[in-house]
Amino acid sequence: MHHHRAIAIVFAVHGAVSGSLATRLPWIQDHLGLTPGMLGFALLCAPIGSFVGMPMASRLAYRIGARTAVRLLLALWCAGLALPALAPVQVALFGAFVLYGATAGMCDVVMNGHAVSLERRLGRSIMSGLHGMWCLGSLAAGGVGVLAAHNGVDARLHLGGAALVLLGLGALAGRGLWAEPPAPGAAAPRRYALPPRSILLVGLVGFAGTFAEGSSADWAAVYVTDVAGAGPGLAAATYTVFMLCMASARLAGDLLVRRFGPVAVVRAGESRPCSAARSSSRPGRPCCARPGSR
């Protein structure tokens, strides 16, 4: 249980970083005078960084150990929170988002892999609840962001302070992570691994889900500011409401899995593309057995 709590806090801290930044995007846009197109390009730099960094995460975890990799990458991810607000010009903002996305993606991979190993060790479903903790962390940070935006707090001060607090929480949680022993005879992963063809359809489903989630998270506050004319506080609150709904569903996930089984839950919750992907696989086998990211 001690290890379970530690990885749950890691997920919450990871979510808090994302939630903190999401609520201050309108400030960053206004501070640098970004058009919607330029802001969109800046936000695109984050997944580009993730795309480059994520395939190298398993190699890093193999070389230094999963526990150490989670602690290191979580610290880098927390420190990266302050970079977008500190960017003095647009070009620097693009670079900040590339680094932000690379550390986010690599940390996402190693902490999910660590959680899967712990789930197998415990012999019960914990992944949905961990992703629910990610949402709760994002929700709490979003609430702080609402207050900061509503009171006109400079985002550089807000995000810099949040980065320091989350660095401390992440360091404390990292001390309680399970020191997973290396698998005997396990071969070293490649330095840069691309997904095999057999899981490309599953990856497409994950892309669709991540695209919808990321669009809602990144653009909700900007949309109600520019289109609906909302103030900074209300704009920041839109992200908080979105994350509250997602947290509720994820926290119930493990109970549903234990009650009805993973196959039934996947079938009930999957989208049409996931159904199409499963139709080409073996009958009765779900095409997405666990969340691939938060």
Side-chain angles (χ1 to χ4, degrees), residues 130-152:
L130 292 178
H131 285 255
M133 288 298 298
W134 188 95
C135 293
L136 288 180
S138 188
L139 183 64
V144 174
V146 169
L147 294 175
H150 180 72
N151 290 284

Side-chain angles (χ1 to χ4, degrees), residues 22-179:
T23 58
R24 304 316 306 267
L25 288 176
W27 185 95
I28 294 173
Q29 181 183 22
D30 181 68
H31 179 67
L32 292 179
L34 301 176
T35 65
M38 295 303 290
L39 178 61
F41 181 77
L43 294 175
L44 179 63
C45 289
I48 290 174
S50 295
F51 181 81
V52 173
M54 291 172 77
M56 297 184 287
S58 59
R59 179 78 178 191
L60 177 64
Y62 175 84
R63 292 185 63 88
I64 66 176
R67 181 173 181 264
T68 304
V70 172
R71 298 178 68 181
L72 172 63
L73 291 170
L74 183 64
L76 292 175
W77 165 236
C78 291
L81 170 60
L83 294 180
L86 294 174
V89 294
Q90 294 179 4
V91 174
L93 179 67
F94 301 153
F97 268 110
V98 170
L99 294 175
Y100 177 85
T103 54
M106 294 180 72
C107 183
D108 201 354
V109 169
V110 295
M111 76 185 194
N112 272 280
H114 188 78
V116 168
S117 298
L118 182 60
E119 183 179 61
R120 290 171 179 165
R121 181 171 182 258
L122 295 175
R124 57 188 176 87
S125 174
I126 63 171
M127 287 298 296
S128 183
L130 292 178
H131 285 255
M133 288 298 298
W134 188 95
C135 293
L136 288 180
S138 188
L139 183 64
V144 174
V146 169
L147 294 175
H150 180 72
N151 290 284
V153 176
D154 190 297
R156 291 167 292 192
L157 179 62
H158 166 215
L159 297 182
L164 291 175
V165 171
L166 294 174
L167 271 168
L169 290 175
L172 289 175
R175 296 172 62 181
L177 292 175
W178 176 42

